[in-house]
Amino acid sequence: MERFKKIIIYVIPCILVYITSCLTTLSHELGHSITAYFFDIKNNPFDLNYSTKIFMFGISENVDYNKVSKLIQYKAILISAAGLIVNFIFAVSIIILLIFFYRNLNKFICYVLYLFLFWNTNEFFNYFIIRNIFLRGDVANIVTYGIPHIYVLIFGVWFSLILVYFLFLKVKKNLFKIFNLTQNQCVKFTKIIVLSFVVCQILTLYNYS
């Protein structure tokens, strides 16, 4: 029985990490797709491409960017930036909840919200910082459709660092308070969070190298 409990304790958080990661990716791609639908580029806003790889939940927005390039500039930019806007809105909303209202939420909800904050911050940071090195993905489209790269870089770095600050400091402290973690536990879990974040960025670098 004790062994079963230990398995549950470790397995459930891993499942939640995977689910929140998938949902974050889904919301990002829906941001692009719904905006494209709104500007008459797609007939169905929920028409996405899904990966069938084991243990992966690959999704793409299934937007024809050749058609997007023919739109008025602001529409093309909005379609390209929609996924990142969704990530930012979700991240800021969760930050507000976990700073001002965390005492009114139970532990499970706080944990799930923090996972969503982690993945949305990771996605935002990844696009604006890591992919900016190679000018790939959404940022490349935004630059292609008329926003100077230096402006995109300054905006992205500034707001990415703000989200990272809250993820690793203020919000994280409140989460640890909720779970009444000891000092040693706080240090241990902080290392896990930081390492996980860094690994996500390195994997992107590896894919583009």
Side-chain angles (χ1 to χ4, degrees):
M1 190 66 180
E2 287 299 320
R3 185 178 180 183
F4 178 75
K5 287 181 179 179
K6 287 182 180 180
I7 293 174
I8 293 298
I9 288 172
Y10 287 105
V11 169
I12 289 180
C14 291
I15 292 174
L16 288 174
V17 166
Y18 178 74
I19 291 173
T20 52
S21 171
C22 293
L23 290 176
T24 299
T25 302
L26 178 61
S27 63
H28 176 99
E29 301 304 341
L30 277 174
H32 291 299
S33 187
I34 291 172
T35 308
Y37 171 77
F38 184 78
F39 291 130
D40 296 322
I41 294 297
K42 294 184 67 173
N43 295 322
N44 182 357
F46 303 106
D47 176 23
L48 304 174
N49 288 330
Y50 298 91
S51 168
T52 57
K53 294 180 180 180
I54 298 174
F55 301 125
M56 292 182 67
F57 190 60
I59 309 173
S60 64
E61 65 270 44
N62 197 23
V63 171
D64 186 345
Y65 282 96
N66 289 324
K67 292 182 179 179
V68 173
S69 65
K70 298 175 183 177
L71 294 173
I72 298 172
Q73 185 186 48
Y74 84 90
K75 292 183 179 180
I77 292 171
L78 277 176
I79 291 173
S80 301
L84 293 166
I85 292 171
V86 169
N87 289 140
F88 187 76
I89 290 173
F90 278 167
V92 170
S93 300
I94 293 168
I95 287 169
I96 292 171
L97 280 172
L98 292 181
I99 287 180
F100 297 105
F101 305 103
Y102 73 97
R103 296 184 187 278
N104 300 321
L105 303 173
N106 65 44
K107 293 180 180 180
F108 177 79
I109 292 176
C110 286
Y111 175 71
V112 171
L113 285 174
Y114 189 79
L115 288 177
F116 275 118
L117 175 59
F118 176 91
W119 289 119
N120 279 283
T121 300
N122 169 75
E123 194 118 333
F124 193 87
F125 184 95
N126 189 273
Y127 274 96
F128 274 116
I129 307 297
I130 303 302
R131 301 188 195 210
N132 236 320
I133 297 173
F134 307 96
L135 201 57
R136 300 283 184 90
D138 297 346
V139 172
N141 289 332
I142 293 169
V143 172
T144 299
Y145 298 138
I147 301 295
H149 189 199
I150 186 64
Y151 293 161
V152 175
L153 186 61
I154 291 172
F155 172 89
V157 170
W158 177 248
F159 284 99
S160 293
L161 292 178
I162 289 174
L163 294 182
V164 167
Y165 167 80
F166 281 103
L167 175 71
F168 290 123
L169 293 175
K170 183 62 177 177
V171 175
K172 186 202 67 179
K173 288 180 181 178
N174 287 352
L175 185 73
F176 289 173
K177 286 179 184 177
I178 294 169
F179 284 90
N180 298 316
L181 300 183
T182 65
Q183 184 63 32
N184 288 337
Q185 288 174 324
C186 288
V187 172
K188 177 183 176 182
F189 282 108
T190 297
K191 289 180 180 178
I192 292 174
I193 296 168
V194 172
L195 179 62
S196 300
F197 193 85
V198 171
V199 167
C200 288
Q201 311 315 315
I202 292 175
L203 287 175
T204 301
L205 278 172
Y206 175 77
N207 288 333
Y208 284 134
S209 62

